[in-house]
């Protein structure tokens, strides 16, 4: 079942930024493929997209599982034969701790989800991106940027810094193939990751005066995937209300 519409694949698509990105593309009449672990939430996002009219499907996927990613490749190759836009959004941020209190297991889990999974997703699916000279967009964080250091999020910051450099390396090496790779770095965004933290207190850290919404990230991702951004690759773009300027 091949299609003339753009095929968009989003990891971590069941909530927050991933959901917003999926809805942003759906509103522009694309085929959106949602990858995530939570079947109930994934199907809820799928139904929202179908309510807008376009085609969508949810594939329950743990992006750290090689077996499941092989299955995703087989499904996408059979149904669409391509990926026009691949968005690596899956990520976790565990509780910040001093190094002596940071269990090795939490460090490893953070790196498994935030950088190893991105490597695995791209290595398994990049043939489908290359088929149509598509684009890859990785969701990093200002916590991984050289210009921003704060708190004690050692594992999270280090993993996002790795993702930024991974994105830049791919951008350099894939440019000759017509494949663009960029990295969007959210600041303080109102998602479940913030938990019960006081939003007003966090807003005080933002020069622009308020914390961002997932849709703020989604709009930038959509732009980077558009023809208007055809000369942009290897960019690391903070979307943070100025937080990374502090």
């Amino acid at each position: 079942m091949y299609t003339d519409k753009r095929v968009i694949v989003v990891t971590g698509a069941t909530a927050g930024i991933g959901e917003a990105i999926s809805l942003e593309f759906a509103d522009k009449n694309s085929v959106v493929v949602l990858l995530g672990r939570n079947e109930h939430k994934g199907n809820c996002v799928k139904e929202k997209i179908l309510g807008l009219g376009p085609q969508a499907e949810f594939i329950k996927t743990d992006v750290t599982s090689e077996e499941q990613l092989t299955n995703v490749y087989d499904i996408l190759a059979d149904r669409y034969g391509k990926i026009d836009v691949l968005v690596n959004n899956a990520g976790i941020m565990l509780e910040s701790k001093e190094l002596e209190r940071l269990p090795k297991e939490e460090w490893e889990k953070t790196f498994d989800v935030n950088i190893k999974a991105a490597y695995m997703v791209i290595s398994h699916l990049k043939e489908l991106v290359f088929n149509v000279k598509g684009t890859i967009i990785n969701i990093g964080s200002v916590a991984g940027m050289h210009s921003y250091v704060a708190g004690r999020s050692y594992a999270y910051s280090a993993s996002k810094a790795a993702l930024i450099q991974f994105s830049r390396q791919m951008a350099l090496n894939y440019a000759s193939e017509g494949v663009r790779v960029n990295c969007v770095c959210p600041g303080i965004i109102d998602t479940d990751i913030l938990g019960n933290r006081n939003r007003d207190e966090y807003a005080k850290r933002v020069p622009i005066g308020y914390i961002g919404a997932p849709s703020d990230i989604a709009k930038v991702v959509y732009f980077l995937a558009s023809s208007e951004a055809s000369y942009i690759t290897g960019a690391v773009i903070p979307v943070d209300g100025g937080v990374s300027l502090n």
Side-chain angles (χ1 to χ4, degrees):
M1 185 178 63
Y2 284 59
T3 178
D4 293 332
K5 296 179 181 178
R6 287 202 302 173
V7 176
I8 318 300
V9 177
V10 183
T11 73
T14 60
I17 291 173
E19 177 180 358
I21 291 169
S22 301
L23 289 169
E24 184 72 21
F25 280 99
D27 196 38
K28 306 301 188 296
N29 201 31
S30 302
V31 176
V32 183
V33 180
L34 314 163
L35 304 184
R37 292 179 299 177
N38 190 309
E39 191 166 4
H40 173 71
K41 289 183 177 180
N43 284 321
C44 286
V45 177
K46 173 185 172 181
E47 291 304 315
K48 288 181 184 179
I49 294 172
L50 292 176
L52 296 170
Q55 184 177 341
E57 66 174 304
F58 170 70
I59 305 174
K60 184 177 180 181
T61 310
D62 180 345
V63 290
T64 65
S65 166
E66 188 157 8
E67 180 181 359
Q68 292 184 36
L69 287 173
T70 298
N71 178 60
V72 170
Y73 171 84
D74 290 341
I75 292 172
L76 297 180
D78 179 61
R79 292 182 186 172
Y80 309 112
K82 67 172 184 173
I83 298 174
D84 294 277
V85 183
L86 174 59
V87 182
N88 275 300
N89 168 72
I92 59 171
M93 182 173 69
L94 302 179
E95 180 186 355
S96 297
K97 297 175 181 177
E98 285 290 358
L99 280 179
E100 61 270 19
R101 294 182 52 244
L102 177 61
K104 181 183 71 171
E105 293 76 16
E106 291 187 9
W107 177 277
E108 291 174 345
K109 182 177 180 180
T110 299
F111 270 77
D112 280 348
V113 178
N114 290 357
I115 179 64
K116 182 181 177 181
Y119 146 72
M120 290 178 64
V121 168
I122 292 169
S123 62
H124 277 76
L125 303 183
K126 79 181 187 71
E127 175 187 325
L128 298 176
V129 179
F130 275 55
N131 282 351
V132 286
K133 300 185 186 300
T135 185
I136 298 170
I137 301 168
N138 297 320
I139 305 302
S141 169
V142 294
M145 294 177 62
H146 185 265
S147 60
Y148 181 78
V149 180
R152 295 177 175 82
S153 57
Y154 293 106
Y156 181 76
S157 296
S159 67
K160 290 298 186 178
L163 183 61
I164 289 170
Q165 192 64 5
F166 182 48
S167 302
R168 297 177 73 240
Q169 196 81 48
M170 286 190 294
L172 176 64
N173 292 319
Y174 294 170
S176 62
E177 304 289 340
V179 173
R180 297 185 297 110
V181 184
N182 291 293
C183 188
V184 175
C185 292
I188 303 171
I189 307 298
D190 194 358
T191 68
D192 291 344
I193 281 181
L194 281 182
N196 296 321
R197 296 178 178 90
N198 188 307
R199 268 59 173 172
D200 292 335
E201 288 300 314
Y202 271 83
K204 293 176 183 178
R205 305 182 186 182
V206 185
I208 211 168
Y210 59 91
I211 63 177
S215 59
D216 294 318
I217 309 303
K219 291 171 185 174
V220 176
V221 171
Y222 183 81
F223 165 72
L224 288 172
S226 72
S227 59
E228 283 79 6
S230 61
Y231 203 57
I232 301 175
T233 194
V236 179
I237 302 177
V239 185
D240 64 353
V243 164
S244 57
L245 301 174
N246 289 331

